[in-house]
Amino acid sequence: MAYRKLRLILGDQLNHQHSWFDDKDPETLYVMMEMLSETNYVAHHIQKVVGFFLAMRQFAQELEEKGYEVLYWQLDHKENKQSVPDNIKYLVDKFNIESFEYLLPDEYRLDQQLKTLADDLNIPVTAYDTEHFLTKREGVEEFFAGKKRLIMEYFYRRVRTDYDLLMESDGKTPLTGQWNYDHSNRKKYPKKIDVPKTKKFERDASEIVELIESFDIKTIGRIPDKVFDYPISRAEALEALEDFNDSRLIHFGDYQDAMSETERLGYHSRISFALNVKLITPLEVVQSSIAHWHKHSDEIDISQIEGFVRQIVGWREYMRGMYWLQMPELEEKNYFDHQAKLPDHYWDGNTKMNCMANAINQSLDMAYAHHIQRLMVTGNFALLLGVHPDAVDAWYLGIYIDAIQWVEITNTRCMSQFADGGKVATKPYVSSANYIHKMSDYCNNCHYDRKKKYGDKACPFNSLFWDFYDRNASQLKHIGRINMMMGTWNKMESSEREKILQQAAEYKANADEL
């Protein structure tokens, strides 16, 4: 077969609904590739690598079944040069390709690779939008042009208005007259709760696991019995969305921040992987859930659906815009000049802190933890400890199945670690044991005492919390939202503060053993 045009599809560009597929051209070759350059730039969770390979293979198979010309190279293909530029150059020469097309990557790293490749190729090169997001790459920058504060809430309202999501008939007023129900979305699980089980899509992944191991690829985490259970096709992703709507949307808003030893998934949707590789779109996700809510509005309070919509078309779109606004400088941000290393227990879950043990072991077991486990447990502890943002980024980018840099680094370096100095977050998200106890049952069975700031078995979060404010006082004094905490610290007796700081120093010196 002679091909004139080569089109590249990356592993997070599995959009069946893209306009590329409106017509079938036998002279257009679609190429998809498993490459070491994409498995090795950070140590990924084994389930993350498996998930990408499975989803890519499924997508390629479905394209072939629909009649498209597809070239799929597995990791061990004899012609695989193991990087995007090298493979594309090879294929252009092999098939005497006349033009090359690609979809705009969502990672700066790949965006630069493909721009350089375009300059190197001696044929026309065209880049296309992925047709996935509701806003443009430059959406945040354009929306906030000339403004000092880039507040997500206002951007969220604009998206809601533009797409008529949860709006009154006038198209300008939110349903009920209220935009945001965040204050209703902070409940702790009751002592007895029966959360509906999440639909799983179990499949044997031993062949891919063995392939990964044969290349000696460094991975993290576990894949129990070599079984992978996330949705990897569009059909499965839509099933997962329907399962969420039918069984867990009803309490999503209530308990989206809640944490429990016994409820790892809770009322969350578990569609983030399918969403981030573009098997489904954010617009169809929220429209589906809103339609379900309309049918069952007598049972499901509007705070449940609004909380879900805000996550998908608010935070997700906003963070993507912030990514393109701040890259590549964002990768160097370290507002507090933190230099500590990430404790060993982030890699094995072996810690006496019950909240950390639960959040980390869940992440190692499932390549998943919800946003509060990430922000207020593992991220919170890393910030209190003063870990270098590079180490935090690498861990988060690797361990979570839904972590692609555009969504990871903005939530980690900006939101969680405040390394950008407050461009995204309006204050550092730090807490003592009090917040963790308020939102979870983790403290009930912990080796440490959540009520103690120092002394035998004092909870590390408590002394490190005050140590954070003490050591960063000069960089925090302009942030009005934390004036009360700074005031509380400054009013403490000097002897009390000394004991707290001494305890914090001991914990920082022995972080691997906590």
Side-chain angles (χ1 to χ4, degrees):
M1 176 67 73
Y3 301 108
R4 292 184 304 105
K5 184 183 298 180
L6 185 67
R7 283 177 167 174
L8 171 67
I9 300 174
L10 297 172
D12 65 340
Q13 296 177 337
L14 313 183
N15 183 2
H16 283 281
Q17 302 170 93
H18 197 277
S19 58
W20 265 5
F21 307 121
D22 289 347
D23 300 301
K24 295 186 182 72
D25 178 4
E27 294 184 325
T28 296
L29 179 64
Y30 292 89
V31 60
M32 299 178 68
M33 305 166 289
E34 302 166 4
M35 296 167 288
L36 290 176
S37 62
E38 296 307 296
T39 63
N40 292 351
Y41 67 90
V42 70
H44 295 285
H45 198 293
I46 181 66
Q47 292 189 45
K48 183 180 183 183
V49 183
V50 167
F52 268 86
F53 285 5
L54 281 171
M56 290 166 64
R57 292 179 184 189
Q58 179 68 26
F59 187 83
Q61 178 184 323
E62 292 184 24
L63 283 187
E64 287 182 325
E65 291 171 351
K66 293 174 182 176
Y68 298 95
E69 294 292 321
V70 180
L71 177 69
Y72 190 96
W73 278 356
Q74 294 188 7
L75 195 65
D76 57 354
H77 192 282
K78 63 181 180 181
E79 295 176 275
N80 195 337
K81 311 303 178 186
Q82 303 298 346
S83 78
V84 171
D86 291 341
N87 280 338
I88 296 301
K89 289 176 183 177
Y90 176 80
L91 292 172
V92 166
D93 290 340
K94 178 178 179 176
F95 293 107
N96 196 25
I97 296 294
E98 297 176 15
S99 64
F100 172 58
E101 298 178 351
Y102 67 92
L103 301 176
L104 289 170
D106 288 314
E107 288 197 330
Y108 182 85
R109 170 182 62 89
L110 285 167
D111 195 57
Q112 293 301 301
Q113 277 188 30
L114 285 165
K115 284 180 177 178
T116 300
L117 173 63
D119 292 337
D120 292 342
L121 293 175
N122 294 315
I123 57 175
V125 177
T126 308
Y128 293 84
D129 191 87
T130 59
E131 301 174 7
H132 171 81
F133 294 94
L134 282 73
T135 56
K136 299 184 298 182
R137 275 185 177 184
E138 305 80 17
V140 164
E141 182 177 9
E142 292 175 357
F143 180 77
F144 290 105
K147 298 181 176 66
K148 293 183 179 179
R149 302 294 303 278
L150 284 63
I151 306 298
M152 187 280 291
E153 175 67 21
Y154 303 118
F155 185 73
Y156 164 57
R157 294 180 185 184
R158 174 64 177 272
V159 177
R160 285 259 305 266
T161 303
D162 287 349
Y163 287 88
D164 193 26
L165 301 171
L166 296 176
M167 302 298 291
E168 297 285 4
S169 58
D170 64 4
K172 299 178 181 180
T173 309
L175 288 179
T176 74
Q178 185 172 331
W179 285 102
N180 188 309
Y181 289 84
D182 184 48
H183 287 286
S184 301
N185 300 157
R186 304 174 184 178
K187 296 177 183 176
K188 182 177 182 176
Y189 289 127
K191 289 185 178 180
K192 291 185 179 181
I193 189 168
D194 185 18
V195 179
K197 298 301 180 185
T198 304
K199 185 177 181 63
K200 295 184 178 180
F201 304 84
E202 295 186 347
R203 54 180 48 82
D204 180 13
S206 55
E207 179 187 341
I208 292 182
V209 172
E210 290 164 10
L211 175 65
I212 293 167
E213 291 174 345
S214 72
F215 275 80
D216 200 27
I217 294 170
K218 182 182 178 182
T219 61
I220 57 179
R222 309 154 187 148
I223 183 165
D225 301 320
K226 297 181 181 179
V227 171
F228 185 83
D229 61 16
Y230 286 85
I232 53 93
S233 69
R234 175 166 171 76
E236 289 180 352
L238 291 172
E239 279 188 65
L241 176 58
E242 183 179 10
D243 174 60
F244 166 70
N245 289 338
D246 289 343
S247 61
R248 299 186 305 286
L249 175 60
I250 189 169
H251 287 304
F252 173 81
D254 288 338
Y255 302 121
Q256 64 172 300
D257 289 2
M259 300 175 286
S260 170
E261 289 186 298
T262 57
E263 295 295 344
R264 284 184 158 186
L265 293 171
Y267 286 91
H268 287 263
S269 66
R270 204 172 185 246
I271 61 169
S272 56
F273 172 69
L275 186 60
N276 285 0
V277 299
K278 302 181 179 59
L279 290 170
I280 48 180
T281 70
L283 185 58
E284 70 181 327
V285 167
V286 295
Q287 287 179 336
S288 170
S289 296
I290 289 171
H292 181 88
W293 170 75
H294 275 299
K295 289 180 182 178
H296 303 276
S297 58
D298 56 332
E299 306 169 52
I300 306 175
D301 188 77
I302 191 172
S303 64
Q304 316 299 337
I305 183 64
E306 188 280 321
F308 184 65
V309 169
R310 184 172 1 108
Q311 293 291 337
I312 303 296
V313 307
W315 271 114
R316 189 172 184 269
E317 296 284 329
Y318 173 75
M319 287 303 202
R320 183 210 182 209
M322 292 301 295
Y323 177 77
W324 288 107
L325 176 63
Q326 298 189 77
M327 286 295 287
E329 294 81 11
L330 180 57
E331 292 180 299
E332 306 297 324
K333 299 290 185 181
N334 188 358
Y335 181 68
F336 296 118
D337 193 29
H338 283 168
Q339 300 295 327
K341 78 176 191 69
L342 202 67
D344 292 345
H345 53 251
Y346 275 79
W347 306 104
D348 58 23
N350 186 18
T351 170
K352 296 187 289 293
M353 294 177 286
N354 198 38
C355 60
M356 290 286 285
N358 271 274
I360 292 171
N361 278 298
Q362 173 179 325
S363 302
L364 293 170
D365 289 341
M366 302 172 63
Y368 170 83
H370 73 62
H371 63 284
I372 296 299
Q373 291 170 304
R374 301 186 198 194
L375 177 66
M376 299 307 300
V377 180
T378 52
N380 181 16
F381 189 72
L383 180 56
L384 294 178
L385 205 59
V387 175
H388 196 292
D390 285 356
V392 183
D393 275 340
W395 187 78
Y396 277 90
L397 183 57
I399 201 166
Y400 293 120
I401 193 166
D402 55 14
I404 301 167
Q405 195 193 40
W406 69 267
V407 69
E408 173 277 319
I409 195 171
T410 46
N411 277 286
T412 301
R413 193 171 288 249
C414 303
M415 186 72 177
S416 171
Q417 301 303 295
F418 205 77
D420 66 345
K423 199 156 191 175
V424 169
T426 56
K427 68 171 183 177
Y429 279 83
V430 293
S431 80
S432 64
N434 184 54
Y435 174 84
I436 295 171
H437 178 64
K438 178 183 176 183
M439 295 306 303
S440 77
D441 58 9
Y442 292 154
C443 298
N444 297 346
N445 300 308
C446 191
H447 168 83
Y448 295 102
D449 186 341
R450 66 177 178 84
K451 297 179 181 180
K452 296 178 69 173
K453 299 183 184 69
Y454 50 81
D456 185 45
K457 297 185 178 180
C459 175
F461 279 85
N462 291 337
S463 58
L464 292 172
F465 173 75
W466 292 116
D467 178 76
F468 171 82
Y469 281 113
D470 184 76
R471 73 175 186 264
N472 295 311
S474 62
Q475 289 140 304
L476 297 171
K477 61 185 179 181
H478 68 287
I479 302 174
R481 292 188 67 191
I482 63 171
N483 283 344
M484 185 174 71
M485 284 298 176
M486 293 298 294
T488 300
W489 174 244
N490 292 329
K491 290 175 183 177
M492 284 188 196
E493 294 288 339
S494 58
S495 58
E496 180 77 356
R497 287 193 293 174
E498 186 176 340
K499 291 174 184 176
I500 292 172
L501 295 178
Q502 182 177 348
Q503 180 71 82
E506 292 175 10
Y507 281 154
K508 286 189 291 186
N510 300 282
D512 289 336
E513 300 167 18
L514 294 177

